[in-house]
Amino acid sequence: MSGGYGLTGQGRPTRSEDGPEAGTAPATFSGNRGLDVEERLIFALSRPGVSGVDLPEPKGLPTRIGVRTRTEAIGLPGVSEPEVVRHFVRLSRQNYSIDLGLFPLGSCTMKHNPRLNEKLARLPGLADIHPLQPVSTVQGALDLIHTLSHWLKVLTGLPAVALSPKAGAHGELCGMMAIRAALDARGERRRRVLVPVSAHGTNPATAAQCGFEVDEIEAGPDGRVSVEAVKARLGPDVAGIMLTNPNTCGLFEREVKAIADAVHAAGGYFYCDGANFNAIVGRVRPGDLGIDAMHINLHKTFSTPHGGGGPGAGPVVFSEALAPFAPRPWVTDRGAGFALVEDEVEAGTARPFGRLTAFHGQMGMFVRALAYMMSHGADGLRQVADDAVLGANYVLARLKDEMSAPFEGPCMHEALFDDRFLEGTGVTTLDFAKALIDEGYHPMTVYFPLVVHGAMLVEPTESESKESLDRFIASMAGLARAAKAGDTERFTAAPRFAPRRRLDETRAARKPVLTASEGAPASPRAAAE
Ligand SMILES: *Cc1c(COP(=O)(O)O)cnc(C)c1O
């Protein structure tokens, strides 16, 4: 073992003992550092025969499963209820969350989740219903879905919406499947999809997943896509374009309308990645820009929790051209009550491509998003976008001379920096981000967008006060000055004040250690050294 790391009970490396904080603090007997508790895997806490429930085994119950009867224990950890609670609370304390501090992760829009939304989502009439209940018993919930659909259509200026997609990326899949269904209905096999190099990685992945060939378009020196660059690639085999607006450089695509017109003239469709709708909501209606399909991340624009890959919602709005192909189910207002169109397709133009999920989407997220919309109102939502853009521009204006910005002029909802200001300092973008952890912040997005060298993408969102932004800016400016003054160690040794220091993420991804036994190296670094 090199680098002066100690080992925990699991053989996992702890902190460096030769860091600057060493010497001032004695090693503790528990391995904990005050409330920074050294927590083991739950499997390591397990003891045979221990359980959170102490009901006796039911006796004489006949099994009805026959050969599929389990014969061995399923290997759940044996821990008592208080142990389970402590385990997860201790782990949660090692986490960083939007409720803990500013979360400047660009492109992710980590905005405050208002408690009013939480309160409404927990109302029993909304929280305790089941998707298989008779529709006559869930009229209020269907009304709510219908109302949310209405506001999404009004805000985007588009005539249809599919609510079942469960994340932005899932929404992309929904939109591109609708495009494919529309092309199939036209009897055309167009196979190429144009995707700017600055796109979120999910865009080319989605296009490829739907069987399209991805054709990358370069961005211009101003970080935007030009209509000429698009026109140069258009042809009879182009199914459409996937464009993000505002784009991932935090810039508004100025030629978006001309791009839409050109794509339509060539017989293609315009998919817009609307993850950044939070920057323009209430100000710009995507329908007016010629967009055919766009996902809206309720967890970005409408303040629902991100949920750690859990219960997300990424509704997709559609133009007249694609609306008939939107997936089932949807809610209709039959005058005498709301109904769900699940299987039979009503007489008309609807030709749904199928369904994306078992049920109707994430009800809890719908409640929260609608609560957010209604508590802000039309003028309030416009102010949300204004404040998000103002906050990002404040960060950009205050830091662009301390750091370096790749593009001239103001930004939209996120401020983008590159690593030119670190040139010759021996500090990389990654080191800079790690030093921000020691300052008590979650790092900004790094090395994305790919079109900018050593990118650092900062998105404060409208939730932050000026005081909070000032404190963050002071840390960023302090770090920038320290790097330029040659205080390299501050960066290369960072993070010093985190439960773990730097892990070998590549190795963890390529050679994951998935066993939970005490003997196995439980971290990539332990495996490496
Ligand atoms: C966040 C984001 C996505 C993906 O959304 P998920 O909900 O995380 O699947 C796609 N595109 C852009 C530009 C994004 O910022």
Side-chain angles (χ1 to χ4, degrees):
M1 221 46 216
S2 63
Y5 284 83
L7 290 181
T8 68
Q10 289 169 262
R12 300 167 73 186
T14 59
R15 301 106 186 154
S16 166
E17 273 123 36
D18 49 20
E21 78 278 23
T24 57
T28 57
F29 298 105
S30 59
N32 304 334
R33 297 215 298 186
L35 296 181
D36 176 3
V37 172
E38 188 53 48
E39 187 64 5
R40 303 198 292 165
L41 293 181
I42 194 162
F43 293 95
L45 304 174
S46 171
R47 295 179 319 283
V50 176
S51 166
V53 279
D54 55 5
L55 295 172
E57 284 278 332
K59 287 204 182 70
L61 270 187
T63 168
R64 301 205 179 117
I65 321 175
V67 290
R68 301 214 176 267
T69 309
R70 175 165 58 77
T71 53
E72 284 170 17
I74 58 174
L76 289 178
V79 274
S80 69
E81 179 178 318
E83 284 169 331
V84 175
V85 172
R86 280 188 187 155
H87 176 71
F88 287 106
V89 170
R90 285 169 168 188
L91 288 185
S92 75
R93 289 173 52 103
Q94 298 187 359
N95 210 348
Y96 192 92
S97 70
I98 190 67
D99 288 345
L100 188 70
L102 186 147
F103 212 126
L105 206 55
S107 195
C108 292
T109 317
M110 307 297 283
K111 60 162 84 173
H112 172 65
N113 314 131
R115 290 309 184 262
L116 176 65
N117 302 359
E118 299 302 318
K119 187 171 171 178
L120 296 178
R122 283 168 178 72
L123 290 175
L126 295 169
D128 296 346
I129 51 178
H130 192 279
L132 292 179
Q133 259 174 256
V135 286
S136 63
T137 65
V138 289
Q139 284 293 307
L142 296 186
D143 192 353
L144 188 145
I145 294 176
H146 194 257
T147 309
L148 176 66
S149 303
H150 171 74
W151 287 118
L152 290 174
K153 290 187 281 188
V154 168
L155 287 167
T156 56
L158 285 161
V161 62
L163 281 169
S164 58
K166 296 194 174 177
H170 203 206
E172 291 173 31
L173 185 67
C174 175
M176 294 309 285
M177 286 176 82
I179 288 177
R180 214 177 59 180
L183 289 170
D184 286 349
R186 280 161 44 180
E188 293 180 30
R189 271 186 58 86
R190 292 171 172 247
R191 280 290 162 257
R192 202 149 50 89
V193 170
L194 310 181
V195 183
V197 279
S198 59
H200 197 267
T202 49
N203 292 189
T206 300
Q209 169 114 357
C210 290
F212 294 111
E213 194 185 299
V214 176
D215 191 3
E216 286 197 337
I217 309 180
E218 295 298 322
D222 63 347
R224 295 174 174 89
V225 176
S226 76
V227 65
E228 272 66 45
V230 173
K231 277 186 177 159
R233 300 292 184 80
L234 286 172
D237 64 330
V238 169
I241 188 169
M242 293 185 86
L243 186 76
T244 308
N245 196 26
N247 69 23
T248 57
C249 297
L251 303 170
F252 194 83
E253 292 288 355
R254 295 193 182 119
E255 300 185 3
V256 59
K257 186 69 180 73
I259 290 173
D261 293 344
V263 171
H264 288 151
Y269 294 99
F270 180 3
Y271 186 90
C272 181
D273 181 330
N276 299 331
F277 189 44
N278 57 302
I280 55 172
V281 61
R283 286 242 161 232
V284 178
R285 298 191 317 161
D288 298 339
L289 304 179
I291 285 159
D292 290 305
M294 180 180 103
H295 69 264
I296 303 162
N297 307 43
L298 296 187
H299 45 290
K300 291 181 182 172
T301 303
F302 299 109
S303 82
T304 67
H306 281 241
V316 179
V317 283
F318 290 105
S319 65
E320 291 292 355
L322 287 184
F325 305 97
R328 295 188 299 250
W330 60 84
V331 175
T332 55
D333 182 357
R334 295 219 167 114
F338 293 95
L340 265 172
V341 179
E342 292 255 28
D343 297 311
E344 95 281 15
V345 170
E346 314 219 304
T349 55
R351 304 159 81 176
F353 69 72
R355 45 193 315 149
L356 272 179
T357 61
F359 297 117
H360 323 304
Q362 302 287 14
M363 188 65 196
M365 297 302 130
F366 300 161
V367 180
R368 288 173 175 87
L370 188 62
Y372 184 76
M373 287 178 183
M374 297 189 83
S375 58
H376 280 75
D379 53 342
L381 284 179
R382 167 186 277 245
Q383 173 117 29
V384 160
D386 291 356
D387 289 350
V389 172
L390 179 64
N393 276 284
Y394 182 62
V395 171
L396 181 64
R398 292 271 319 266
L399 288 175
K400 72 178 192 307
D401 298 328
E402 303 278 3
M403 300 168 67
S404 47
F407 304 114
E408 283 293 316
C411 57
M412 293 295 293
H413 56 299
E414 46 197 2
L416 180 58
F417 303 95
D418 58 25
D419 62 358
R420 279 174 301 156
F421 76 104
L422 294 175
E423 225 167 85
T425 61
V427 176
T428 65
T429 287
L430 185 71
D431 299 330
F432 197 89
K434 296 295 183 194
L436 200 55
I437 296 176
D438 286 341
E439 300 291 325
Y441 290 103
H442 190 285
M444 69 301 259
T445 292
V446 291
Y447 301 106
F448 179 83
L450 305 175
V451 287
V452 168
H453 200 270
M456 300 181 215
L457 190 60
V458 176
E459 178 173 9
T461 83
E462 83 283 0
S463 317
E464 298 302 329
S465 65
K466 177 169 179 297
E467 290 68 25
S468 153
L469 291 181
D470 283 336
R471 280 192 297 274
F472 174 70
I473 289 166
S475 291
M476 292 282 279
L479 289 176
R481 281 178 221 141
K484 288 186 263 188
D487 187 1
T488 318
E489 164 90 13
R490 174 190 292 274
F491 297 89
T492 50
R496 291 181 167 99
F497 308 131
R500 286 293 177 279
R501 305 196 68 184
R502 294 201 199 183
L503 303 178
D504 184 341
E505 291 166 23
T506 314
R507 198 182 167 94
R510 296 228 170 111
K511 291 195 159 188
V513 180
L514 300 174
T515 48
S517 71
E518 283 279 281
S523 86
R525 187 184 290 275
E529 286 171 356

